[in-house]
């Protein structure tokens, strides 16, 4: 642990200052408002999301955290009447803009959903087609990426002998890790997780949590969760949402031990929500 | 009369009604099959019909029915699936969508004789084709299209939203998602619907009277050149189908064995429709089993 | 996949990304939708203009056409173009068959949903589906070979009659009414039933006082859809109704409907002749009626939503 910390420090010192600042935040949210028709679901939030860290979004149901998450890779475009105002800057580009190619965006900002949703195909067939669609046609290259992403998702050892069996034969936890592998295969920079383990048993849940912590060295992760312990275990920063407002956003440790806003404390201690 | 007695009486009436409905079907089937099977033989199915003499078969009519059905489905299925995809995936709530819905409603409620008249006006007279298989198939397409569109739309809407989202979130375009994720999942329902629709098309006659006509040229089944006059595969020849044949021998035929020919033909027609229905059910339940077994 | 390009080049829409399969696919399905719209418009325009030709070109009076009972288009000296008997025939068989089929269909629906919900549906549902599957010429043929002689010998008249047409049509529209009525009644919220039974009402009282009134707009829709089918049905009726040009005076009289006259004469008359054109005008009436049925159904469903 100590050596790891030391290592990180030395790395930080070698990186030029401008790179360091640039690499600090992967996303900058400015005054984001999201509407469903007339109804406003997110009321002008602003926050920075750090690169290579896990950011947890917590709050009671209907507080706007999932709506916010789904706007980061424009999944809200699917909902008729949903629209977003304000800015989400990604590499200095407002990804809410009309000019954004959402298909390209979603390759870089991947998403894993609440309920494991593998395609009714083989395990291999859950990963390869999207790669092919992205233009990778060589069988050996495809095989490599499939293996690499399954390894990263800590699923390779469990499924390597049955890659061509139906993905639906996997357990719920394995299915969810397959969904994560499928997302990793696209080589995203950001992974959005929408309550990824709420439908899983405790053991699968623990595996998925380990995986998330492990993944942050390569990816920036934003996770919506209902589970306060989960947020405190795996996230670096935590944002607390209530009725569409961002109430408090700080280091996870700070939020869970010494929140500045009373509402946050009440929520965390289970007084409502 | 007290309420208990009234209740018992009413229950009796409802049971009677249910019995009547079952009896109607039983009676119809009994009549069709008892009379039909007497007259169905290999010779009946494989010999040409006669305009004046007794003993004619239904070979050409049977072939025409199947062939027109095939051509119709060839046009309807892609169009209907396309329309269904549009309605389920692309149509935004608004005036245009309302207009299309109205059009589907209008098309599906048009009497088939009216569709036949439209076919006569456009596919027979305006184009100058005369009575043709192709004209008949186009008329049947109009007749069948609304069903196909609705079936596809419903099937697509029944596909779980997660699957679509999963694919889109991987950076796959909407159209590619439709092709590789949505349509494969909706395929069983679309197939079931298409088979049921095919059964309906197979028995349709009114739309064909003035489009495919009441006669069939002398066919040479060894001639496979679709541009030849005598080829059964020529789509620009008149063709009397089985259903039309039943009507024409009964209303304007001269043959003495009307009763025999029509009962045989009716039985063949009903059996075919039954096969379509059973096939659709069978496929439906197979798929259902597969889906539930994989969980 | 290497992210060497700046974000602008990777993520902004470009010409190439606009012209990919996405827009092509969208174009294809929009084309399918356009074909449906154009088919509907083409049918309306073509049949509309053709149907008006007998009035505009041949100078047949609309009033005479709709109100006269004299149909004699082939009489050179004194032709008559009154189609009232056929309009009457169409409406008569439509209403009479609905009168027969509605109680049976709704009764069947109640049997499936209320009397024997466990097994009644399993038996009756396939029966109804098979009745739908029987082609209309087969109904016509059985009507002709069974019903016509039966009525001739046991009831009276020629056998070819309004009554025969009514019975054949009633059987044909029975499945339509039954199916929709079943859906309507089974989709009623269960608290309606429970509330009524809790007040000590018998099953019949519940059906009559609670369920039927609650499902009424849908039941009417079912009946209207059945009537629309009956109004447009051609071959089966044509085979059993007798096809005479006179106004029937009794239910046992032979008669004719708009569809049967069209079916019978379209092939025999010269295209473009006055007689032929009046057939197209009858077709136009069918088209207008089919629009009218749609409007009626829309009106009913808007009332259902208001509740």
């Amino acid at each position: 642990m100590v050596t790891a910390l030391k290592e990180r420090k030395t790395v930080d010192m070698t990186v030029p200052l401008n790179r360091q600042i640039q690499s600090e935040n992967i996303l900058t949210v400015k005054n984001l408002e999201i509407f469903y028709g007339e109804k406003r679901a997110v009321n002008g939030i602003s926050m920075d999301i750090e690169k290579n860290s896990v950011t947890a979004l917590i709050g009671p149901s209907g507080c706007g955290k999932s709506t916010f998450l789904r706007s980061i890779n424009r999944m809200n475009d699917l909902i008729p009447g949903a629209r977003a105002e304000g800015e989400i800057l990604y590499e200095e580009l407002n990804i809410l803009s009309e000019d954004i190619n959402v298909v390209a965006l979603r390759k870089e900002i991947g998403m894993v959903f609440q309920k494991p949703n593998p395609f009714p195909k083989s395990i291999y067939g859950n990963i390869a087609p999207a790669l092919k669609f992205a233009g990778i046609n060589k069988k050996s290259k495809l095989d490599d990426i499939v293996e690499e992403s399954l390894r990263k998702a800590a699923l390779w050892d469990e499924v390597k002998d049955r890659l061509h069996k139906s993905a639906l034969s996997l357990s719920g936890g394995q299915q969810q890790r397959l969904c994560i592998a499928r997302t990793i295969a696209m080589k995203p920079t950001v992974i959005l997780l929408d309550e990824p383990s709420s439908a899983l048993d405790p053991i699968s849940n623990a595996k998925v949590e380990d995986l998330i912590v492990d993944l942050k060295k390569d990816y920036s992760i934003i996770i919506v969760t209902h589970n306060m312990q989960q947020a405190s275990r795996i996230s670096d920063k935590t944002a607390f949402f209530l009725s569409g407002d961002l109430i408090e956003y700080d280091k996870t440790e700070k939020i869970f031990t010494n929140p500045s806003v009373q509402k946050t404390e009440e929520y965390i201690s289970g007084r409502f929500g | 009369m007290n309420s208990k007695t009234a209740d018992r009486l009413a229950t009796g009436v409802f049971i009677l009604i249910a019995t009547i409905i079952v009896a109607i079907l039983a009676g119809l089937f009994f009549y069709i099959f008892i009379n039909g099977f007497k007259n169905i033989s290999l010779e009946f199915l494989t010999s040409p019909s006669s305009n004046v003499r007794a003993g004619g078969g239904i070979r050409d009519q049977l072939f025409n029915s199947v062939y027109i059905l095939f051509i119709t489905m060839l046009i309807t299925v892609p169009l209907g699936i396309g329309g269904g995809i549009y309605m389920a995936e692309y149509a935004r709530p608004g005036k245009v969508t309302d207009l299309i819905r109205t059009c589907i409603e209008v098309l599906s409620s048009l009497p088939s004789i009216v569709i036949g008249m439209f076919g006569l006006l456009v596919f027979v007279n305006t184009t100058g084709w005369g009575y043709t298989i192709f004209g008949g198939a186009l008329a049947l397409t109009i007749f069948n299209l609304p069903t196909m569109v609705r079936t596809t739309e419903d099937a697509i809407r029944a596909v779980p939203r997660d699957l679509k989202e999963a694919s889109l979130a991987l950076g796959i375009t909407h159209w590619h998602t439709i092709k590789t994720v949505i349509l494969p999942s909706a395929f069983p329902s679309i197939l079931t619907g298409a088979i049921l629709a095919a059964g309906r098309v197979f028995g349709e006659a009114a739309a064909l009277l003035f489009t495919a006509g009441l006669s069939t040229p002398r066919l040479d089944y060894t001639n496979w050149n679709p541009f030849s006059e005598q080829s059964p595969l020529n789509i620009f020849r008149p063709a009397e189908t089985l259903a039309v044949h039943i009507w024409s021998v009964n209303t304007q035929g001269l043959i003495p064995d009307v009763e025999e020919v029509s009962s045989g033909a009716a039985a063949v027609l009903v059996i075919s429709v039954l096969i379509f229905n059973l096939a659709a059910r069978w496929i439906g339940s197979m798929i259902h089993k597969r889906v539930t077994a994989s969980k | 996949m290497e992210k060497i390009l700046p974000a602008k080049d990777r993520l902004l829409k470009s010409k190439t990304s606009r012209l990919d399969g996405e827009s092509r696919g969208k174009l294809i399905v929009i084309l399918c939708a356009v074909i449906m719209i154009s088919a509907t418009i083409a049918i309306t325009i073509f049949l509309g203009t053709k149907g008006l030709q007998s009035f505009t070109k041949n100078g047949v009076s609309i009033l005479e056409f709709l109100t006269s009972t004299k149909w004699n288009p082939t009489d050179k000296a004194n032709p008559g173009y009154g189609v009232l008997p056929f309009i009457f025939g169409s409406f008569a068989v439509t209403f009479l068959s609905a009168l027969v089929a509605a109680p049976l269909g709704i009764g069947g629906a109640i049997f499936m949903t209320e009397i024997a919900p466990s097994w009644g549906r399993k038996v009756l549902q396939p029966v109804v589906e098979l009745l739908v599957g029987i082609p209309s010429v087969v109904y016509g043929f059985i009507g002709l070979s069974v019903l016509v002689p039966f009525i001739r010998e046991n009831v009276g008249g020629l056998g070819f009659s309004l009554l025969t047409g009514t019975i054949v049509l009633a059987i044909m529209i029975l499945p339509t009414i039954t199916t929709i009525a079943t859906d309507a009644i089974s989709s009623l919220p269960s608290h309606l039933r429970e509330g009524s039974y809790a007040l000590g009402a018998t099953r019949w009282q519940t059906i009559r006082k609670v369920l039927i009134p609650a499902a009424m707009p849908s039941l009417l829709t079912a009946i209207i859809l059945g009537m629309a089918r009956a109004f447009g049905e051609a071959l089966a009726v044509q085979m059993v109704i007798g096809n005479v040009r006179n106004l029937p005076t009794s239910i046992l009289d032979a008669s004719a409907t708009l569809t049967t006259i069209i079916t019978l004469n379209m092939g025999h008359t010269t295209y473009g002749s006055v007689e032929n054109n009046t057939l197209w005008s009858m077709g136009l009436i069918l088209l207008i009626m089919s629009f009218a049925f749609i409007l009626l159904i829309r009106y009913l469903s808007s009332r259902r939503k208001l509740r």
Side-chain angles (χ1 to χ4, degrees), chain B residues 39-152:
Chain B
N39 298 300
I40 298 179
S41 61
L42 195 63
E43 204 205 329
F44 180 67
L45 295 177
T46 55
S47 57
S49 61
S50 161
N51 289 330
V52 281
R53 273 191 301 276
I58 55 165
R59 179 190 69 188
D60 297 347
Q61 284 75 16
L62 196 56
F63 175 82
N64 289 339
S65 285
V66 174
Y67 194 46
I68 286 193
L69 172 66
F70 174 72
I71 305 276
T72 305
M73 295 316 270
L74 215 58
I75 308 170
T76 316
V77 169
L79 269 183
I81 291 182
I85 292 175
Y86 177 81
M87 295 310 284
E89 289 292 324
Y90 289 101
R92 304 254 155 201
K95 285 211 171 105
V96 181
T97 308
D98 288 347
L99 174 69
I100 300 174
R101 287 226 184 279
T102 309
C103 287
I104 296 174
E105 201 179 345
V106 168
L107 287 180
S108 68
S109 65
L110 283 181
S112 50
I113 186 89
V114 171
I115 294 173
M117 291 173 82
F118 174 71
L120 171 63
L121 199 54
V122 177
F123 309 132
V124 176
N125 289 333
T126 308
T127 56
W129 293 339
Y131 293 149
T132 59
I133 289 187
F134 190 56
L138 287 176
L140 287 179
T141 298
I142 297 177
F143 171 79
N144 200 14
L145 194 56
T147 321
M148 211 53 230
V149 171
R150 280 190 187 145
T151 304
T152 310

Side-chain angles (χ1 to χ4, degrees), chain C residues 32-48:
Chain C
C32 293
V34 169
I35 287 175
M36 274 190 298
I37 300 178
S38 19
T40 316
I41 293 173
I43 289 173
T44 316
I45 291 176
F46 272 88
L47 292 182

